[in-house]
Amino acid sequence: MQRKVRTFGQALAGFLAGVAMLMWGGAAHADVVYSFTANSSYNGFGTGAFTFTVPTFISTPGHIPLASLDSCTSSLGTCGASQGFLSMSGYDTVGFMPDNSTTVFYYFDAGVFSQFGTFETVLFGSEQHGTLTIASVDAADVPEPASIALAVIALGAVGAAHRRRV
């Protein structure tokens, strides 16, 4: 009888350790935050900024719909319909739409979209200047309610099986 209790105790301890790992010990992942600030005197476009958070570095540049951005501001009022991360003429380029009619392009060295740091534009000087900051933000994984329910059901099944044996 003592052997069964010890075996059940070991099984229960292992199960509870697994539940603890599932609920609290899950691996954390880091989101990538792209923050862009435009300060342009070019053609009266003024200033603006947007922030965009994704799970990994941008690998396929493209246009980002306004609704997908974390935030967007423009000295011309509201931001345009989309902003963009583009590869143009050997540069990583941010296309900033400060209104709904024009996109202003800000050029950075090639490869900056896939590394952390703060980067300044490389063309047009102060007339069309922008700053791009790429940072990592940790976000802890949270177990889904279905995972927690499954763990509770499994614990109940282990308890019921032990109760039948005793």
Side-chain angles (χ1 to χ4, degrees):
M1 185 68 158
Q2 188 173 0
R3 181 155 168 69
K4 286 184 181 179
V5 172
R6 185 171 48 203
T7 304
F8 173 74
Q10 289 172 346
L12 182 60
F15 175 77
L16 292 176
V19 169
M21 286 177 50
L22 173 69
M23 294 178 67
W24 295 286
H29 70 277
D31 288 335
V32 179
V33 179
Y34 291 82
S35 300
F36 174 73
T37 303
N39 188 6
S40 179
S41 60
Y42 174 73
N43 207 17
F45 288 127
T47 61
F50 69 84
T51 303
F52 181 60
T53 303
V54 289
T56 60
F57 286 113
I58 294 172
S59 59
T60 306
H63 291 280
I64 311 301
L66 187 61
S68 296
L69 298 176
D70 300 332
S71 65
C72 190
T73 60
S74 170
S75 62
L76 299 180
T78 59
C79 291
S82 69
Q83 312 311 317
F85 292 94
L86 313 165
S87 293
M88 296 173 58
S89 306
Y91 295 98
D92 280 353
T93 307
V94 173
F96 180 63
M97 185 178 274
D99 58 21
N100 276 317
S101 62
T102 306
T103 300
V104 183
F105 295 102
Y106 296 85
Y107 297 88
F108 298 88
D109 289 325
V112 300
F113 290 164
S114 61
Q115 57 185 314
F116 296 116
T118 299
F119 309 96
E120 304 293 327
T121 50
V122 294
L123 296 177
F124 306 121
S126 62
E127 185 176 277
Q128 195 168 328
H129 181 263
T131 303
L132 177 64
T133 300
I134 304 171
S136 172
V137 176
D138 289 333
D141 289 340
V142 177
E144 297 179 13
S147 297
I148 295 170
L150 181 62
V152 169
I153 290 168
L155 181 59
V158 168
H162 175 69
R163 188 175 184 105
R164 280 189 213 142
R165 288 184 186 170
V166 174

